[in-house]
Amino acid sequence: MKKRNRAAMFVLAVSMVTTPVALLHPLSSYAYDGKSSLEPIQLPEDIVQLLTELKEDYVPLMKDLHVDSYGGTSKSGYVINLSDRKSVITTNTTLTISTNAKGDMTSFVLHDVNRDKTTKINQKEAYQKAVDFIRNYIAFDHVISPQAMLSFDRASELDHLAVVSVYPRLNNTWVDKETARVMVDAKGQVVHFQQEKLKLPTTEEVTDPSKAVALEKAMKEWQDKVSLELVYDESAGKLVYVPDQWPTIDALSGEVVPSVNKTTNKTMKIKGTADMGVWRDTKKMEQMLEKDFGLKLNQRTYKNVKEDKKYKNSDIDRHEWNASSYQSAWITLDRNTKSPIEFKLDGPVEKELEKPLTHDEAKDIAVRFMEKYLLSKEQSFSVKETSLVENLPGWVDQNLVRPISSFAFHPEINGIPTKRPLFYLEVDAKKGNVVLAQVNELPSMPATITKDGIVKDEKAKDAYVKEANLRLAYWYPKVGTHSAKLPQLAYLPTAGTKSLQIDAATGAVEESWLEWKATQ
């Protein structure tokens, strides 16, 4: 945590008041630590230094904040809460910072309801800001992602942020498991940092990197197996070629690692009859949960976590029906339009199906949910369907794997799908119902798209593979959210390779934002 010696006097008023106490330090404060008398207390010097550095170098908005409270000790670590609060019920900006016993910052969460979500983010500048932050505040041996990704996570209010991920290193080799991330907003401010403890295997438990086949051999296999598809890039407003999947190469054999998923693409015309009014009425949402999902709401505790006055300027509403033992339901809505952002069921059901759903039955359920609750018109989609293969690898613990079928609904125009899906749904075959539904924001689509004059797919692939690169990594195979205990030595496409696409009109190779997902 100690970056430079910028120690300054910083006092903390301990009486709880409704207006900030004016102090000499730029970060005025008021708080009560739960132990002290009403005499002002001095914050620890290293906390003063940290707050000063953050304000001067990474978060100019902190000049308008004051410390509400802090707790902890130098032996256990600290939690510091700041805000622009002028009274008990009014606030627009909050900041929570946590440190560990070693003095390292472990999390930093700035929530600003007035955050700019319309200005285009400068990818290079955001990346450099994040890298500077990482080099100053992450102590362990790490690898920084070579470029920033873009978060679209509206449900967690982390949309429109540049994300730079940090990975550990073992045997001087990248470990493909995110252990920290930094998020930067359109103004170049760091607004989110999370560092998680990750226990790595010993060098004796993993394969020696020197046993890997030559990169050239892995690259040839990867180039043979990768394939591209023609899509409409809704953010750029043009046709592009992008990989439909990224093969993983076993670094010992030089061959493609078989996927644990079966993936198909099918075109469907869906006639939606959704009454979107269900999302505007809590009673109607509860009727849906009881009738279609069998939830006993009298056994659950309801709360709209964003209805408190302190969240009055939030752009989302989140309704929760929580249960201690069985499924909880969470519905996140756009506050202005009352349209759904995310529907989620989490936790065990009271009784699972004796005979799990087939993939086709799961698909029927996903489509019915769309027709009834998400889509209010007739529309054509290219549906990317994913389900588990029948024979899973030996490392998989069958008791920990949920039989999930997923369906990504990409709007289709003249047979060409959009790059990002409009709807994404998951169905649990043992629970027998939808457990996740997400709605993305997409720009208005053109009425027609023509493929006249575009480059052929063979030419597009040649251009793509010439620019693609792989890197050696310790890769944790996954089935859903279940990961192998030990990583496998593999060749993976770099982040730069994943961000490449081919302009279908010119054949030019170009970079695009790579989407960041919390579960990646």
Side-chain angles (χ1 to χ4, degrees):
M1 183 173 76
K2 301 176 182 66
K3 187 176 72 164
R4 292 182 291 276
N5 184 15
R6 293 181 176 177
M9 181 63 67
F10 189 34
V11 293
L12 183 68
V14 298
S15 58
M16 199 61 167
V17 295
T18 56
T19 55
V21 175
L23 300 176
L24 295 178
H25 193 274
L27 293 167
S28 61
S29 65
Y30 63 92
Y32 176 58
D33 69 354
K35 295 175 290 185
S36 303
S37 66
L38 294 182
E39 293 298 321
I41 61 174
Q42 180 179 337
L43 280 177
E45 183 178 317
D46 53 350
I47 296 299
V48 174
Q49 179 179 335
L50 173 64
L51 295 175
T52 304
E53 290 170 353
L54 291 172
K55 177 177 68 71
E56 293 183 2
D57 297 342
Y58 303 106
V59 196
L61 189 61
M62 284 179 67
K63 67 180 174 33
D64 300 322
L65 306 184
H66 49 260
V67 176
D68 283 339
S69 65
Y70 96 99
T73 67
S74 59
K75 293 182 179 179
S76 64
Y78 296 99
V79 176
I80 311 107
N81 297 297
L82 302 91
S83 78
D84 64 348
R85 180 155 65 100
K86 301 299 189 296
S87 70
V88 175
I89 63 172
T90 60
T91 181
N92 287 319
T93 308
T94 60
L95 172 59
T96 301
I97 303 170
S98 299
T99 70
N100 62 18
K102 296 179 180 179
D104 299 321
M105 184 163 48
T106 56
S107 71
F108 173 100
V109 180
L110 177 70
H111 181 69
D112 177 16
V113 297
N114 297 314
R115 178 167 64 84
D116 183 359
K117 297 184 180 182
T118 58
T119 300
K120 186 177 180 181
I121 298 176
N122 185 309
Q123 188 175 20
K124 290 184 178 179
E125 290 181 3
Y127 178 75
Q128 289 303 322
K129 177 68 71 172
V131 168
D132 183 65
F133 184 95
I134 291 165
R135 287 174 175 165
N136 281 314
Y137 293 112
I138 294 184
F140 65 85
D141 188 21
H142 60 264
V143 176
I144 303 174
S145 175
Q147 68 182 71
M149 294 174 280
L150 186 64
S151 174
F152 295 91
D153 189 354
R154 290 194 294 157
S156 299
E157 297 183 278
L158 296 176
D159 51 315
H160 199 68
L161 292 172
V163 186
V164 176
S165 295
V166 181
Y167 305 89
R169 187 158 42 190
L170 181 64
N171 284 338
N172 203 32
T173 301
W174 170 44
V175 179
D176 184 31
K177 203 165 194 177
E178 186 189 63
T179 188
R181 72 194 68 95
V182 177
M183 298 185 176
V184 180
D185 68 11
K187 292 183 178 179
Q189 289 192 125
V190 174
V191 299
H192 190 95
F193 166 66
Q194 188 71 39
Q195 184 174 184
E196 297 159 359
K197 220 172 180 184
L198 180 62
K199 184 179 180 181
L200 294 177
T202 64
T203 55
E204 292 76 19
E205 292 178 303
V206 296
T207 304
D208 188 332
S210 65
K211 295 181 180 179
V213 300
L215 173 60
E216 293 75 13
K217 179 179 179 179
M219 195 73 208
K220 184 178 186 307
E221 173 75 358
W222 190 87
Q223 290 174 343
D224 289 342
K225 296 297 189 293
V226 72
S227 60
L228 274 62
E229 63 177 334
L230 180 67
V231 299
Y232 177 75
D233 184 343
E234 61 280 350
S235 62
K238 62 182 180 181
L239 294 177
V240 297
Y241 285 99
V242 296
D244 57 3
Q245 58 183 335
W246 293 294
T248 296
I249 306 299
D250 185 318
L252 298 182
S253 67
E255 298 177 352
V256 169
V257 177
S259 176
V260 297
N261 294 312
K262 295 180 292 186
T263 303
T264 59
N265 286 294
K266 297 180 180 178
T267 296
M268 293 184 66
K269 181 172 284 188
I270 300 175
K271 190 173 184 179
T273 58
D275 175 9
M276 303 305 288
V278 67
W279 306 109
R280 299 183 178 92
D281 189 324
T282 304
K283 292 297 181 184
K284 289 183 178 179
M285 286 190 283
E286 291 180 340
Q287 290 171 3
M288 172 189 70
L289 293 172
E290 289 180 323
K291 181 180 178 181
D292 292 354
F293 296 90
L295 268 62
K296 298 175 182 178
L297 298 185
N298 59 354
Q299 299 177 3
R300 289 163 171 80
T301 303
Y302 169 77
K303 184 179 182 181
N304 179 355
V305 298
K306 294 293 182 178
E307 71 179 350
D308 294 345
K309 290 184 178 180
K310 63 182 179 179
Y311 296 117
K312 68 176 184 177
N313 293 324
S314 175
D315 56 4
I316 68 169
D317 282 307
R318 182 173 296 117
H319 300 268
E320 296 183 357
W321 292 264
N322 290 310
S324 57
S325 301
Y326 296 112
Q327 275 194 132
S328 295
W330 304 327
I331 296 176
T332 305
L333 307 174
D334 183 293
R335 176 167 288 182
N336 294 322
T337 64
K338 299 300 180 184
S339 57
I341 295 174
E342 184 176 85
F343 169 91
K344 186 175 184 180
L345 296 179
D346 188 60
V349 293
E350 296 182 33
K351 185 178 180 181
E352 294 190 336
L353 298 179
E354 292 183 6
K355 183 181 179 182
L357 300 173
T358 65
H359 177 72
D360 286 341
E361 289 171 335
K363 179 180 178 180
D364 291 341
I365 287 174
V367 171
R368 283 200 300 270
F369 185 91
M370 264 190 60
E371 291 174 332
K372 192 172 182 179
Y373 294 115
L374 300 180
L375 187 65
S376 56
K377 62 181 181 180
E378 185 174 74
Q379 190 169 355
S380 292
F381 292 92
S382 174
V383 186
K384 182 169 287 187
E385 307 176 21
T386 304
S387 60
L388 297 178
V389 298
E390 293 181 4
N391 298 313
L392 293 172
W395 60 264
V396 177
D397 185 340
Q398 301 283 353
N399 295 320
L400 298 178
V401 174
R402 299 302 308 179
I404 299 292
S405 289
S406 66
F407 307 90
F409 294 84
H410 298 252
E412 193 175 78
I413 309 166
N414 298 130
I416 302 172
T418 55
K419 185 177 179 181
R420 297 183 68 228
L422 178 59
F423 305 114
Y424 173 80
L425 284 81
E426 291 182 356
V427 176
D428 188 309
K430 289 185 178 179
K431 293 182 179 180
N433 225 323
V434 172
V435 292
L436 178 67
Q438 295 173 326
V439 182
N440 291 320
E441 284 186 310
L442 298 185
S444 298
M445 301 290 116
T448 60
I449 299 176
T450 178
K451 294 191 284 187
D452 293 346
I454 65 171
V455 299
K456 301 297 183 182
D457 52 0
E458 295 87 353
K459 183 178 180 180
K461 179 177 176 178
D462 288 344
Y464 180 84
V465 297
K466 285 179 182 177
E467 298 296 327
N469 289 294
L470 303 180
R471 69 184 303 175
L472 188 64
Y474 285 116
W475 165 70
Y476 284 86
K478 291 182 69 175
V479 176
T481 58
H482 176 46
S483 297
K485 291 182 179 179
L486 292 175
Q488 176 179 337
L489 196 63
Y491 282 103
L492 306 177
T494 63
T497 297
K498 289 184 175 182
S499 71
L500 295 179
Q501 62 184 26
I502 307 299
D503 187 318
T506 65
V509 181
E510 56 189 26
E511 286 189 352
S512 65
W513 278 103
L514 185 63
E515 181 175 353
W516 177 86
K517 295 181 180 179
T519 55
Q520 62 184 346

